[in-house]
Amino acid sequence: MTTELTVLVVDDDFYVADLHRRQVEQLPGLRALPAVGTVAEVRRVLVEQPVDLLLLDVHLPDGSGLDLLREVDVDAFVLSAASDATTVRRALRRGALGYLIKPFASGTLVDRLRAYQRYRNVLDERTTVDQEALERALRILHSGDAAKAASPSRSATEQAVLEQFGAEAGAGAAGGAEVEPLELSAADVAARVGVSRATAQRYLAALAADGLVTMKLSYGTTGRPEHRYSRP
């Protein structure tokens, strides 16, 4: 999935809402809408445009975020100071994908947002999901992005393969230009890293399974379609 995901922050504390909105904005692939602070404003926004993810407080001036969860068909993380087990269980029971207890460390939300992006990459609406993919998506969502990044199981070759998708994008960003996601085939990656095409294909498939790269079919004028990979 290479489309931008839209996030709506819902918090009646202006300072907190702006902080969380800016954390969303710093992540490529996410777009933060102007934050809102009431249930009525959430309903209005959802009527006007599609939203992929709510960052939702529990206690709002005109109602409960948990009651809102029951009526909207939108992914949501609950961000609240309410730490009693009853509230947490109710939030999860009503469909929250996760629950962050305020105050939390500054990087915690960023990690969860990155994990959500990878979760969405695995559960791409254009694909059929098998049980293995479902279990993998849920592990990604609940372990957070930091756990994968710190995993000692990622080999030097896998890391080198992943890095091929960042170098040119970074150079373009440094020059102030808008850069399209870099698309590479297994043969491209093999030549850049210095491994066989089969080895590159194996690592790319593993990275795609973890939601760290996305794959699409490129249809040429003749022959079989080619797998093209890019960073989400």
Side-chain angles (χ1 to χ4, degrees), residues 42-230:
V42 176
R43 292 184 179 128
R44 173 184 57 78
V45 172
L46 293 180
V47 168
E48 294 175 351
Q49 61 186 300
V51 173
D52 294 288
L53 179 67
L54 297 176
L55 301 183
L56 181 64
D57 198 2
V58 171
H59 301 298
L60 299 170
D62 59 342
S64 166
L66 299 190
D67 290 340
L68 183 65
L69 272 178
R70 290 192 298 190
E71 66 177 81
V72 298
D73 185 23
V74 183
D75 290 343
F77 289 152
V78 172
L79 281 54
S80 175
S83 59
D84 60 286
T86 299
T87 299
V88 173
R89 288 176 53 240
R90 183 174 294 129
L92 298 176
R93 189 165 59 243
R94 293 183 180 181
L97 294 178
Y99 195 111
L100 298 183
I101 299 173
K102 300 176 184 176
F104 42 79
S106 59
T108 301
L109 178 58
V110 171
D111 285 342
R112 291 296 171 178
L113 290 169
R114 285 175 174 153
Y116 176 73
Q117 288 178 287
R118 292 175 53 215
Y119 160 84
R120 286 290 300 267
N121 290 338
V122 173
L123 297 186
D124 190 329
E125 294 176 357
R126 296 168 298 179
T127 64
T128 300
V129 178
D130 58 20
Q131 189 64 38
E132 181 181 356
L134 173 59
E135 297 293 340
R136 185 166 58 250
L138 292 175
R139 284 197 302 271
I140 288 169
L141 182 66
H142 295 301
S143 66
D145 189 72
K148 173 63 180 178
S151 173
S153 62
R154 184 182 295 171
S155 69
T157 302
E158 184 180 30
Q159 184 64 42
V161 169
L162 187 59
E163 287 173 354
Q164 301 312 306
F165 296 91
E168 292 181 14
E178 184 175 343
V179 179
E180 292 295 324
L182 178 64
E183 290 188 358
L184 298 172
S185 67
D188 295 332
V189 172
R192 287 166 173 245
V193 178
V195 296
S196 70
R197 185 184 182 283
T199 297
Q201 183 69 62
R202 185 170 66 252
Y203 281 109
L204 286 166
L207 290 168
D210 280 332
L212 291 169
V213 300
T214 59
M215 184 275 291
K216 72 175 185 179
L217 293 176
S218 176
Y219 293 90
T221 56
T222 60
R224 298 175 61 183
E226 181 182 47
H227 289 178
R228 304 287 294 181
Y229 297 88
S230 62

